[in-house]
């Protein structure tokens, strides 16, 4: 909202490679995951009343996550897992986003953020027959971007950008049609995240947004499944006024891939 940009539009195509591994941590189910996104984007808008277009292609910031069940869902072998029935699970996760994405401080539009972000989160999952109810509550913490839109004709010096914590709550209600075939309704809400430029608060950057969506998972094989999702910006104060469609293929295995 503080930038001299109007009538902006953008289309992003993002491919994500991810790997996750679960393991026994003192008798509890735990896991780690790594995500590497690659994006291609076309953006257009008016900057100070003049039409402009930009194209970006490159890596987004990578993401790493650690999760552990604090209650329910103990560590199990394959035979135990096949006969296990979920009741109530309480889990903890810590997500870290690393500044590995494409970033040029002279440009205003970048794929990377040039900063670290960490999100501790507490989750609750409860099953009732074929229904599963999930609720997550977390907060994003950000480090400073030491070179925000700097070293160019507009700002020949160095700008620093910081952001206050951003709280988020997320919920899902899913229904299992049969093993590994399920559909869910999704929703979230996040609040906070005001930004500061060179220590001065930027007006109009407080976020209070919500998105709603639907997700479906379809099994293909014992080890493979497809996932489809759609989300829409239900409430938008800053950003978030976009639709998102995603498609994913998942291959999972016990022990070694087979």
């Amino acid at each position: 909202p503080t930038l001299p940009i109007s009538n902006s539009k953008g289309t992003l195509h993002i491919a994500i490679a991810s790997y996750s591994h679960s393991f026994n941590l003192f008798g509890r189910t735990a896991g780690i995951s790594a995500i590497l996104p690659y994006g291609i984007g076309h953006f257009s808008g008016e900057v100070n009343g003049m039409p402009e277009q930009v194209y970006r292609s490159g890596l987004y910031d990578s993401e790493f996550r650690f999760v552990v069940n604090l209650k329910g869902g103990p560590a199990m072998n394959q035979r135990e897992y096949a006969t296990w029935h979920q009741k109530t699970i309480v889990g903890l996760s810590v997500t870290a986003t690393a500044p590995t994405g494409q970033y040029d401080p002279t440009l205003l539009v970048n794929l990377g953020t040039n900063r670290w972000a960490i999100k501790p989160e507490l989750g609750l999952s409860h099953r009732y027959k074929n229904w599963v109810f999930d609720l997550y509550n977390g907060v994003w913490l950000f480090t400073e971007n030491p070179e925000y839109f700097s070293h160019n004709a507009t700002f020949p010096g160095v700008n620093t950008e910081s952001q206050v914590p951003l709280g988020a709550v997320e919920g899902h209600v899913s229904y299992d049609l049969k093993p590994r075939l399920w559909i869910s309704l999704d929703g979230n809400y996040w609040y906070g995240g005001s930004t500061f430029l060179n220590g001065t608060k930027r007006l109009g950057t407080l976020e209070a947004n919500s998105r709603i969506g639907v997700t479906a998972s379809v099994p293909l094989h014992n080890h493979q499944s497809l996932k489809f999702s759609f989300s829409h910006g239900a409430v938008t104060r800053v950003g978030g006024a976009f639709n998102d469609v995603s498609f994913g293929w998942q291959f999972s295995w016990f022990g070694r891939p087979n």
Side-chain angles (χ1 to χ4, degrees):
T2 61
L3 300 175
I5 299 176
S6 59
N7 300 322
S8 61
K9 295 181 180 180
T11 301
L12 275 169
H13 299 279
I14 305 173
I16 299 175
S18 65
Y19 172 81
S20 60
H21 173 69
S22 59
F23 54 92
N24 184 333
L25 182 66
F26 303 112
R28 312 306 308 171
T29 298
I32 54 174
S33 64
I35 297 175
L36 184 64
Y38 186 94
I40 298 175
H42 297 266
F43 307 92
S44 63
E46 296 179 5
V47 181
N48 291 321
M50 299 296 292
E52 296 283 353
Q53 292 186 358
V54 297
Y55 167 81
R56 296 288 184 267
S57 174
L59 291 174
Y60 272 77
D61 291 345
S62 54
E63 182 177 292
F64 305 91
R65 192 168 185 241
F66 167 77
V67 298
V68 60
N69 286 342
L70 304 177
K71 171 182 169 57
M76 295 170 280
N77 58 36
Q78 188 173 358
R79 180 174 297 178
E80 292 170 333
Y81 183 75
T83 59
W84 175 71
H85 298 282
Q86 177 187 337
K87 293 182 180 179
T88 300
I89 297 175
V90 177
L92 173 70
S93 72
V94 178
T95 302
T97 301
T100 56
Q102 185 186 84
Y103 186 83
D104 185 341
T106 65
L107 301 177
L108 190 60
V109 178
N110 282 285
L111 298 179
T113 59
N114 197 37
R115 67 178 182 184
W116 285 85
I118 299 176
K119 182 187 183 184
E121 187 173 48
L122 190 67
L124 171 69
S125 179
H126 178 75
R127 171 178 286 275
Y128 176 74
K129 296 183 179 180
N130 285 15
W131 293 92
V132 179
F133 304 89
D134 298 319
L135 182 65
Y136 312 98
N137 192 10
V139 58
W140 279 105
L141 308 171
F142 308 98
T143 63
E144 184 181 80
N145 179 352
E147 290 186 302
Y148 171 80
F149 197 42
S150 307
H151 312 298
N152 52 48
T154 304
F155 296 101
V158 177
N159 288 315
T160 61
E161 184 187 51
S162 59
Q163 187 171 12
V164 302
L166 179 65
V169 60
E170 179 178 343
H172 305 268
V173 178
S174 61
Y175 183 81
D176 291 341
L177 300 171
K178 63 179 185 178
R180 299 194 302 123
L181 175 62
W182 53 265
I183 187 170
S184 74
L185 296 177
D186 319 305
N188 63 15
Y189 177 78
W190 63 96
Y191 183 88
S194 296
T195 62
F196 290 74
L197 183 63
N198 299 324
T200 302
K201 185 176 181 179
R202 305 165 81 181
L203 299 179
T205 58
L206 174 68
E207 298 185 38
N209 299 345
S210 176
R211 297 185 65 79
I212 57 174
V214 60
T215 305
S217 180
V218 181
L220 292 179
H221 184 266
N222 290 338
H223 300 283
Q224 301 180 57
S225 62
L226 297 178
K227 184 181 288 187
F228 308 88
S229 67
F230 170 82
S231 67
H232 170 74
V235 178
T236 302
R237 178 187 174 99
V238 176
F242 59 88
N243 294 324
D244 178 88
V245 178
S246 68
F247 161 82
W249 169 74
Q250 178 175 280
F251 183 88
S252 59
W253 65 88
F254 287 93
R256 295 182 177 180
N258 52 46

